[in-house]
Amino acid sequence: MNVHISNVFNIVQPNVGFFFESIRHRINLAFILRIRDNISNEHFRSMELQGQIIECVESKCLLFLGSPIVKGLQSLTSRGLFLSDIPIHDATRQVIIFNEKKTLNE
Protein backbone atom coordinates (compact mmCIF):
# COMPACT_ATOMS: atom_id res chain seq x y z
CA MET A 1 0.00 0.00 0.00
CA ASN A 2 2.96 2.31 0.58
CA VAL A 3 1.01 4.66 2.88
CA HIS A 4 2.70 6.34 5.81
CA ILE A 5 1.06 5.61 9.17
CA SER A 6 0.56 9.33 9.81
CA ASN A 7 -1.84 9.42 6.83
CA VAL A 8 -4.16 7.01 8.65
CA PHE A 9 -3.61 7.71 12.39
CA ASN A 10 -2.93 10.56 14.80
CA ILE A 11 -1.16 9.84 18.07
CA VAL A 12 -3.41 11.19 20.83
CA GLN A 13 -1.27 9.95 23.70
CA PRO A 14 1.63 10.28 24.48
CA ASN A 15 2.45 13.59 22.86
CA VAL A 16 4.96 12.34 20.30
CA GLY A 17 5.29 12.41 16.52
CA PHE A 18 5.55 9.45 14.16
CA PHE A 19 9.31 9.10 14.40
CA PHE A 20 10.83 5.68 15.01
CA GLU A 21 13.25 6.71 17.75
CA SER A 22 10.72 8.96 19.53
CA ILE A 23 8.18 6.14 19.72
CA ARG A 24 10.81 3.52 20.54
CA HIS A 25 11.87 5.48 23.63
CA ARG A 26 8.27 5.46 24.88
CA ILE A 27 7.29 1.82 24.32
CA ASN A 28 6.55 1.37 28.03
CA LEU A 29 3.70 3.90 27.81
CA ALA A 30 0.11 3.26 26.79
CA PHE A 31 -0.62 4.68 23.35
CA ILE A 32 -3.91 6.00 22.03
CA LEU A 33 -4.19 6.32 18.26
CA ARG A 34 -7.11 8.02 16.51
CA ILE A 35 -8.08 7.04 12.99
CA ARG A 36 -8.10 10.11 10.75
CA ASP A 37 -11.34 11.35 9.23
CA ASN A 38 -9.97 11.09 5.70
CA ILE A 39 -10.22 7.29 5.51
CA SER A 40 -12.82 5.79 3.21
CA ASN A 41 -14.64 3.54 5.71
CA GLU A 42 -17.01 5.87 7.58
CA HIS A 43 -17.51 3.35 10.45
CA PHE A 44 -13.90 3.75 11.52
CA ARG A 45 -13.52 7.53 11.22
CA SER A 46 -12.35 9.11 14.50
CA MET A 47 -12.22 5.70 16.23
CA GLU A 48 -9.61 5.54 18.95
CA LEU A 49 -7.43 2.52 19.65
CA GLN A 50 -5.64 2.00 22.94
CA GLY A 51 -2.65 -0.29 23.23
CA GLN A 52 1.07 -0.65 23.36
CA ILE A 53 4.01 -0.48 21.00
CA ILE A 54 6.21 -3.53 20.71
CA GLU A 55 9.66 -3.35 19.15
CA CYS A 56 10.53 -6.14 16.72
CA VAL A 57 14.32 -5.94 16.82
CA GLU A 58 14.93 -8.60 14.16
CA SER A 59 12.83 -6.83 11.53
CA LYS A 60 13.68 -3.30 12.72
CA CYS A 61 10.05 -2.27 13.04
CA LEU A 62 7.48 -1.28 15.65
CA LEU A 63 4.18 -3.09 16.13
CA PHE A 64 1.09 -1.50 17.66
CA LEU A 65 -1.09 -3.96 19.55
CA GLY A 66 -4.36 -2.35 20.55
CA SER A 67 -8.12 -2.50 20.77
CA PRO A 68 -10.86 0.01 20.04
CA ILE A 69 -11.97 2.28 22.85
CA VAL A 70 -15.71 1.68 23.15
CA LYS A 71 -18.29 2.48 25.81
CA GLY A 72 -20.55 -0.49 25.25
CA LEU A 73 -21.93 -3.05 22.86
CA GLN A 74 -23.91 -0.48 20.87
CA SER A 75 -20.80 1.67 20.46
CA LEU A 76 -18.95 -1.41 19.19
CA THR A 77 -21.63 -2.56 16.74
CA SER A 78 -22.18 0.97 15.41
CA ARG A 79 -18.59 0.75 14.17
CA GLY A 80 -19.34 -2.49 12.33
CA LEU A 81 -17.47 -4.50 14.96
CA PHE A 82 -18.57 -7.44 17.07
CA LEU A 83 -17.58 -8.75 20.49
CA SER A 84 -15.75 -11.59 18.74
CA ASP A 85 -13.47 -8.97 17.12
CA ILE A 86 -12.02 -8.16 20.56
CA PRO A 87 -9.36 -10.67 21.69
CA ILE A 88 -10.35 -12.89 24.61
CA HIS A 89 -7.38 -11.68 26.68
CA ASP A 90 -8.39 -8.01 26.30
CA ALA A 91 -10.13 -6.47 29.32
CA THR A 92 -12.34 -4.43 26.96
CA ARG A 93 -14.30 -7.58 26.22
CA GLN A 94 -15.05 -8.22 29.91
CA VAL A 95 -16.00 -4.58 30.51
CA ILE A 96 -18.54 -4.69 27.66
CA ILE A 97 -20.02 -7.98 28.91
CA PHE A 98 -20.21 -6.67 32.49
CA ASN A 99 -21.92 -3.45 31.37
CA GLU A 100 -24.44 -5.37 29.27
CA LYS A 101 -25.30 -7.69 32.19
CA LYS A 102 -25.64 -4.68 34.48
CA THR A 103 -27.98 -2.97 31.99
CA LEU A 104 -30.17 -6.09 31.74
CA ASN A 105 -30.48 -6.32 35.53
CA GLU A 106 -31.63 -2.71 35.91
Side-chain angles (χ1 to χ4, degrees):
M1 285 180 36
N2 203 18
V3 175
H4 192 268
I5 190 169
S6 64
N7 292 336
V8 181
F9 294 100
N10 288 324
I11 298 177
V12 176
Q13 219 177 304
N15 188 14
V16 64
F18 278 110
F19 303 104
F20 187 88
E21 287 300 319
S22 298
I23 294 172
R24 191 173 149 267
H25 286 97
R26 291 168 178 83
I27 60 173
N28 292 327
L29 299 176
F31 276 74
I32 297 178
L33 302 182
R34 181 179 297 128
I35 299 175
R36 289 181 167 270
D37 289 337
N38 63 348
I39 65 158
S40 60
N41 190 328
E42 64 189 47
H43 290 298
F44 299 132
R45 289 182 188 151
S46 298
M47 184 188 312
E48 291 185 342
L49 306 169
Q50 181 174 10
Q52 69 183 76
I53 302 287
I54 300 167
E55 182 177 9
C56 303
V57 178
E58 303 81 26
S59 57
K60 298 179 184 172
C61 68
L62 300 172
L63 172 71
F64 175 74
L65 179 63
S67 296
I69 299 174
V70 292
K71 292 181 173 53
L73 191 57
Q74 185 174 0
S75 174
L76 187 71
T77 56
S78 70
R79 298 282 191 179
L81 299 172
F82 301 94
L83 199 55
S84 59
D85 293 326
I86 308 278
I88 294 171
H89 66 274
D90 191 330
T92 304
R93 189 179 181 121
Q94 281 73 32
V95 169
I96 292 171
I97 292 170
F98 176 78
N99 286 340
E100 289 301 312
K101 285 182 181 178
K102 182 179 171 188
T103 303
L104 290 173
N105 291 334
E106 290 179 351

